[in-house]
Amino acid sequence: MEEMEEELKCPVCGSFYREPIILPCSHNLCQACARNILVQTPESESPQSRRASGSGVSDYDYLDMDKMSLYSEADSGYGSYAGFASAPTTPCQKSPNGVRVFPPAMPPPAAHLSASLAPVPRNSCITCPQCHRSLILDDRGLRGFPKNRVLEGVIDRYQQSKAAALKCQLCEKAPKEATVMCEQCDVFYCEPCRLRCHPPRGPLAKHRLVPPAQGRVSRRLSPRKISTCTDHELENHSMYCVQCKMPVCYQCLEEGKHSSHEVKALGAMWKLHKSQLSQALNGLSDRAKEAKEFLVQLRNMVQQIQENSVEFEACLVAQCDALIDALNRRKAQLLSRVNKEHEHKLKVVRDQISHCTVKLRQTTGLMEYCLEVIKENDPSGFLQISDALIRRVHLTEDQWGKGTLTPRMTTDFDLNLDNTPLLQSIHQLDFVQMKASSPVPAAPLLQLEDCCTHNNSATLSWKQPPLSTVIAEGYILELDDGNGGQFREVYVGKETMCTVDGLHFNSTYSARVKAFNKTGVSQYSKTLVLQTSEDTDSEEQALTFPSSSERLQLRRMSPFSSTLNLQPNFSGRSCFDIRSSAHQLSLHSSLQSLNAPGCNFETQSAPFSQLVAWFAFDPGSAHSDIIFSNDNLTVTCNSYDDRVVLGKTGFSKGVHYWELTIDRYDNHPDPAFGVACIDVMKDMMLGKDDKAWAMYVDNNRSWFMHNNSHTNRTEGGITKGATIGVLLDLNRRTLTFSINEDQQGPIAFENMEGLFFPAVSLNRNVQVCILLLQREKTFSLQQLQRFMTLPWVTELLSV
């Protein structure tokens, strides 16, 4: 019964109910507490004035707007209280059990007046502290509320059951344990008090004394005071008003407001309501049983979570320890390589020291011997050996001059540890969500009415299914190579439309789309087959090109072009612009003729197609210190530090060549030229990180650099007006450089694979311009023949 204790306590005082009354909202209050929370309303807010005016605006922001209206319910005399303008706005207080209690608007009644006898001010209002419904009291005041006799009985039984032992009721200081109870006096006595106050003689001899436990039972079974009518205090309740849902007396039925209401016998309704309460309790009991089982399940989950946490922590520690062990093993291997390099350098230097020491000793001995010979005064004897000595001296001097005094080993270690990817992996190390917190998106739907092809470009559009509730964070568009090969990604982003240019003419491509979010990737859409147009621009060429059938054959033999321009062509579309032209050598292609077997350039009609790659510098991705001019074809910098700028066009297949000219070159800086990934660092020299492959050059020599590794120092520098050539052969996966039409060093880099953008790094002392890249420019046969005679191009073609 301990769980029931909160039901037996008043929400105002927090103690057990004393003389509880029932409010019309079915909640209970102590009669004294109800008097303490009364609030006096203005005369204008009386039930009659509000009924006439219809006013209902409340200054209390905590009053419930859905108050019950007891005026409309059988005219019981209690109305809904909607507020009053002069009411105090003091915030409500908290009772001991946490329920809000509205403060009284007037001082409590005098101490000598009891709660039941003190007068109630006119137009008083009482607000239920539990549901906050406000009620205007009528002339009867608190006497108009029925008393809850049942609640009093439950509290009595609860308090008696809580008593561990019955105490004597007559002991003055420390009550002793009771030994008997007098049924007539209804008093518990200890033995001394019984002998003193209840002697077994005279009239008291006829009283019946029983053990305390039996007396407690008899108290429980004694008839309680019968509840009387609130309107007629001398009448007991005898019937039940069905419409008002309250017990009434006989006089209420004859004279009162219940005379026309339907009534039923009090005992029958008592049994009916007891039956209904028992049935409701059965359902509530089932819910309570389920709640207990659920609590047991939750407690088991707590234990299981603790066990799983310990197991998971142990697994995590083991995994991290394994990573640390692997790192330590790799550390030992790298240290071993450093030690080997250290020993090798020391051995070379020590051998050179030993060799130089021996040679220096021999030279010193020869010098001392020659000096002694010079001191001799015998001319004939001197002349006999002087020629041999002179030859030995010259020979020894020549031996010292052939690199003998140059260190064979540098003090710097050529090893360079690149720990950036590992650090990034460590920073990205995270838990994988084993179970999806949300579903993956549905497969997108291709909008066929918006999908089309034009010449060698294709536009695709898609959307999410109309009934899909899962939001897609982006889409992946895939296209095959036009020959039924594997699909590959050509677009990743949030847009739902993409235009792909530079496809092969007269070719059939297949396209499909899938959506993704944080949970995963959706299924593919249906595959869409697209047919590009035939090529009809051969008549506009400045040179004689192969016939249509020959070009078609060459195109089908060439790889799928993939020059990606990341600039949007128009609002609402993200376009990977794959540029290609059959007649402008200033535009990019995949060098189809050079890729074709048996191709040569011995005659004017030799097949040749689009070697020079067209692009301009990209202001969007460049460092903020880069200065653009000449339609983004010329760049310089306003900083003394090196800054990187990329071209707009990226290459992943084919052979591509471009040239850059040095418009300004002051104070011998070392600009860098090459290719880079889109995420290359823009605030350092090109080639310092692992995202760029470059040649940096000053006025005397050049070096190749990737990932801050410097290789292949080559004599020959640049001046103002010099031309830098860059040949990116993605068929052979090589990168080659030239200066003023002469190849600079060997093949700079091999195994080039991926998407590369032309790149330059420079400072304020250099200005660079893209050469041969005018939009409308075509090239004569003489220019092409000069280009074909370049040594490195000839070598490329011979291969």
Side-chain angles (χ1 to χ4, degrees):
M1 298 178 65
E2 294 180 358
E3 291 84 356
M4 183 181 64
E5 186 169 324
E6 289 300 323
E7 293 285 336
L8 308 180
K9 290 184 178 181
C10 174
V12 177
C13 63
S15 303
F16 289 106
Y17 287 102
R18 298 181 183 89
E19 299 182 358
I21 60 175
I22 305 175
L23 299 180
C25 58
S26 301
H27 293 127
N28 301 286
L29 283 178
C30 299
Q31 190 169 15
C33 295
R35 176 171 293 276
N36 288 337
I37 64 174
L38 286 177
V39 176
Q40 187 174 3
T41 67
E43 190 68 26
S44 60
E45 296 295 334
S46 64
Q48 294 79 8
S49 61
R50 286 191 301 106
R51 185 179 302 165
S53 62
S55 173
V57 180
S58 174
D59 288 343
Y60 282 100
D61 56 356
Y62 47 75
L63 287 179
D64 188 4
M65 291 296 101
D66 186 23
K67 300 181 175 64
M68 43 178 212
S69 175
L70 296 183
Y71 287 114
S72 60
E73 293 185 5
D75 194 20
S76 62
Y78 301 100
S80 88
Y81 174 66
F84 38 88
S86 62
T89 58
T90 306
C92 60
Q93 301 172 349
K94 288 277 188 173
S95 69
N97 61 354
V99 179
R100 293 191 300 179
V101 179
F102 293 92
M106 54 186 153
H112 64 277
L113 294 176
S114 66
S116 59
L117 298 178
V120 175
R122 186 179 179 183
N123 296 332
S124 295
C125 167
I126 186 171
T127 300
C128 176
Q130 290 181 291
C131 65
H132 312 308
R133 297 192 178 187
S134 301
L135 303 166
I136 299 290
L137 273 62
D138 59 8
D139 295 337
R140 293 175 297 171
L142 296 178
R143 291 183 293 103
F145 297 113
K147 292 181 173 53
N148 196 338
R149 304 294 182 187
V150 175
L151 180 58
E152 282 185 313
V154 174
I155 292 175
D156 289 343
R157 291 197 299 272
Y158 179 77
Q159 289 179 326
Q160 291 172 9
S161 66
K162 294 286 288 185
L166 295 174
K167 302 293 183 180
C168 176
Q169 294 177 286
L170 298 180
C171 291
E172 294 182 356
K173 294 184 179 180
K176 298 179 181 179
E177 186 174 350
T179 57
V180 295
M181 173 194 173
C182 177
E183 289 186 340
Q184 286 72 26
C185 299
D186 195 17
V187 176
F188 289 93
Y189 298 95
C190 65
E191 191 61 24
C193 292
R194 183 188 66 79
L195 295 176
R196 184 175 68 253
C197 302
H198 201 287
R201 58 181 180 273
L204 299 178
K206 297 181 181 180
H207 288 194
R208 184 187 176 191
L209 300 178
V210 297
Q214 184 178 349
R216 174 188 289 178
V217 174
S218 63
R219 268 189 172 184
R220 292 180 184 177
L221 298 178
S222 61
R224 303 203 62 84
K225 185 177 179 180
I226 300 176
S227 177
T228 60
C229 179
T230 57
D231 294 332
H232 311 91
E233 296 181 354
L234 299 179
E235 297 291 337
N236 295 332
H237 290 144
S238 59
M239 301 297 287
Y240 181 82
C241 179
V242 178
Q243 185 172 350
C244 299
K245 296 182 180 180
M246 60 182 298
V248 295
C249 66
Y250 174 78
Q251 196 169 353
C252 290
L253 298 178
E254 293 293 334
E255 306 172 358
K257 54 184 172 295
H258 303 281
S259 58
S260 60
H261 295 175
E262 179 185 1
V263 296
K264 290 188 178 181
L266 191 65
M269 294 303 296
W270 173 55
K271 293 181 180 180
L272 175 62
H273 281 211
K274 271 194 173 183
S275 174
Q276 293 176 352
L277 181 60
S278 298
Q279 293 178 0
L281 283 177
N282 290 334
L284 186 60
S285 176
D286 294 339
R287 300 289 84 77
K289 182 178 179 182
E290 293 176 0
K292 290 180 180 179
E293 294 175 354
F294 181 65
L295 286 175
V296 172
Q297 179 184 355
L298 291 179
R299 294 189 180 98
N300 294 336
M301 287 179 62
V302 171
Q303 180 66 23
Q304 189 65 34
I305 289 174
Q306 293 175 347
E307 295 175 358
N308 291 344
S309 175
V310 173
E311 180 181 355
F312 188 76
E313 287 179 3
C315 180
L316 177 62
V317 170
Q319 289 178 320
C320 292
D321 290 342
L323 292 176
I324 294 173
D325 292 340
L327 185 60
N328 287 331
R329 288 194 299 269
R330 189 58 180 167
K331 174 184 175 182
Q333 295 173 359
L334 295 176
L335 287 176
S336 176
R337 290 182 56 186
V338 172
N339 291 333
K340 289 181 180 179
E341 182 72 13
H342 169 251
E343 293 173 358
H344 173 67
K345 286 180 177 289
L346 290 180
K347 182 178 181 303
V348 172
V349 174
R350 286 169 180 170
D351 290 345
Q352 192 173 12
I353 291 174
S354 176
H355 176 72
C356 288
T357 301
V358 172
K359 198 169 187 61
L360 182 60
R361 186 183 299 114
Q362 294 173 353
T363 302
T364 305
L366 178 61
M367 291 171 60
E368 292 177 354
Y369 174 67
C370 291
L371 290 174
E372 293 298 326
V373 169
I374 292 174
K375 293 178 183 180
E376 292 295 328
N377 296 323
D378 184 5
S380 61
F382 178 81
L383 292 174
Q384 288 178 349
I385 64 172
S386 61
D387 290 337
L389 287 177
I390 292 172
R391 285 194 301 271
R392 285 183 62 189
V393 169
H394 284 304
L395 180 62
T396 303
E397 182 183 2
D398 292 340
Q399 290 176 351
W400 282 108
K402 294 181 178 179
T404 309
L405 300 180
T406 302
R408 299 177 184 174
M409 186 61 64
T410 62
T411 58
D412 296 332
F413 282 78
D414 296 332
L415 302 176
N416 183 26
L417 181 63
D418 181 17
N419 62 347
T420 303
L422 181 58
L423 288 177
Q424 291 178 350
S425 299
I426 292 176
H427 292 154
Q428 295 172 357
L429 187 64
D430 202 349
F431 299 106
V432 177
Q433 191 72 23
M434 300 304 296
K435 293 183 179 180
S437 56
S438 60
V440 298
L445 298 178
L446 288 171
Q447 295 183 283
L448 301 181
E449 63 276 9
D450 295 332
C451 298
C452 62
T453 60
H454 178 71
N455 291 334
N456 63 335
S457 65
T459 299
L460 297 102
S461 177
W462 58 89
K463 65 178 181 180
Q464 279 292 99
L467 301 180
S468 176
T469 58
V470 181
I471 299 176
E473 297 181 2
Y475 303 92
I476 301 174
L477 174 62
E478 295 183 358
L479 214 64
D480 69 355
D481 60 358
N483 293 320
Q486 295 183 350
F487 284 89
R488 67 174 184 170
E489 298 178 3
V490 297
Y491 170 73
V492 178
K494 297 182 179 181
E495 303 297 334
T496 57
M497 181 174 287
C498 179
T499 299
V500 183
D501 293 336
L503 304 177
H504 299 316
F505 285 94
N506 197 20
S507 299
T508 302
Y509 292 90
S510 298
R512 62 186 183 183
V513 186
K514 59 183 177 180
F516 65 87
N517 59 10
K518 292 181 179 179
T519 302
V521 182
S522 72
Q523 298 291 328
Y524 284 105
S525 67
K526 293 183 179 180
T527 301
L528 179 64
V529 179
L530 303 168
Q531 175 71 39
T532 57
S533 306
E534 293 186 0
D535 187 4
T536 59
D537 295 334
S538 59
E539 294 78 3
E540 302 178 8
Q541 299 176 19
L543 297 174
T544 304
F545 287 91
S547 63
S548 300
S549 60
E550 291 173 336
R551 290 202 309 276
L552 179 60
Q553 181 181 4
L554 291 175
R555 287 195 182 93
R556 288 177 175 173
M557 287 187 293
S558 66
F560 173 59
S561 176
S562 59
T563 304
L564 303 185
N565 185 346
L566 300 182
Q567 302 302 315
N569 278 3
F570 50 89
S571 176
R573 296 192 182 188
S574 291
C575 172
F576 282 82
D577 187 9
I578 304 181
R579 298 181 178 271
S580 178
S581 172
H583 61 280
Q584 290 186 349
L585 295 178
S586 58
L587 300 184
H588 154 69
S589 82
S590 57
L591 195 57
Q592 297 161 348
S593 302
L594 294 180
N595 295 329
C599 174
N600 60 75
F601 291 86
E602 296 178 356
T603 64
Q604 294 184 3
S605 61
F608 181 82
S609 167
Q610 311 137 332
L611 177 62
V612 181
W614 181 92
F615 65 90
F617 290 116
D618 181 17
S621 62
H623 194 276
S624 58
D625 292 339
I626 297 293
I627 302 174
F628 295 84
S629 60
N630 190 23
D631 293 333
N632 297 334
L633 298 179
T634 302
V635 291
T636 184
C637 181
N638 59 11
S639 172
Y640 285 105
D641 298 323
D642 289 301
R643 300 295 187 239
V644 173
V645 57
L646 301 180
K648 285 187 177 181
T649 305
F651 312 119
S652 66
K653 288 288 182 69
V655 181
H656 315 279
Y657 173 76
W658 60 94
E659 291 181 349
L660 303 104
T661 182
I662 309 298
D663 289 350
R664 181 167 52 82
Y665 188 77
D666 303 329
N667 301 324
H668 309 300
D670 46 1
F673 309 88
V675 296
C677 299
I678 189 66
D679 54 347
V680 66
M681 299 294 293
K682 307 295 194 310
D683 56 353
M684 61 177 63
M685 179 184 285
L686 196 66
K688 286 283 188 179
D689 61 359
D690 61 345
K691 305 295 185 182
W693 296 257
M695 174 188 73
Y696 71 94
V697 57
D698 58 17
N699 60 321
N700 292 322
R701 61 193 65 86
S702 66
W703 294 263
F704 301 146
M705 183 166 61
H706 169 65
N707 200 15
N708 205 25
S709 176
H710 310 255
T711 59
N712 297 100
R713 169 177 166 175
T714 305
E715 296 298 325
I718 60 174
T719 59
K720 179 181 178 181
T723 301
I724 308 297
V726 183
L727 177 65
L728 177 62
D729 186 354
L730 293 173
N731 292 340
R732 297 179 176 85
R733 300 192 298 174
T734 60
L735 180 64
T736 310
F737 297 95
S738 67
I739 297 180
N740 296 327
E741 301 183 359
D742 294 326
Q743 182 171 335
Q744 186 74 358
I747 294 178
F749 301 100
E750 297 179 336
N751 300 320
M752 303 288 293
E753 186 172 2
L755 177 62
F756 303 103
F757 292 81
V760 176
S761 69
L762 43 76
N763 61 16
R764 65 183 304 165
N765 292 317
V766 184
Q767 179 171 300
V768 174
C769 177
I770 303 175
L771 193 61
L772 304 177
L773 297 178
Q774 301 171 9
R775 295 176 182 267
E776 303 301 331
K777 183 173 182 179
T778 58
F779 296 90
S780 64
L781 179 60
Q782 288 76 16
Q783 289 176 305
L784 291 176
Q785 288 174 340
R786 180 184 62 81
F787 180 78
M788 289 298 102
T789 59
L790 294 178
W792 58 276
V793 177
T794 305
E795 181 182 356
L796 172 65
L797 296 177
S798 64
V799 175

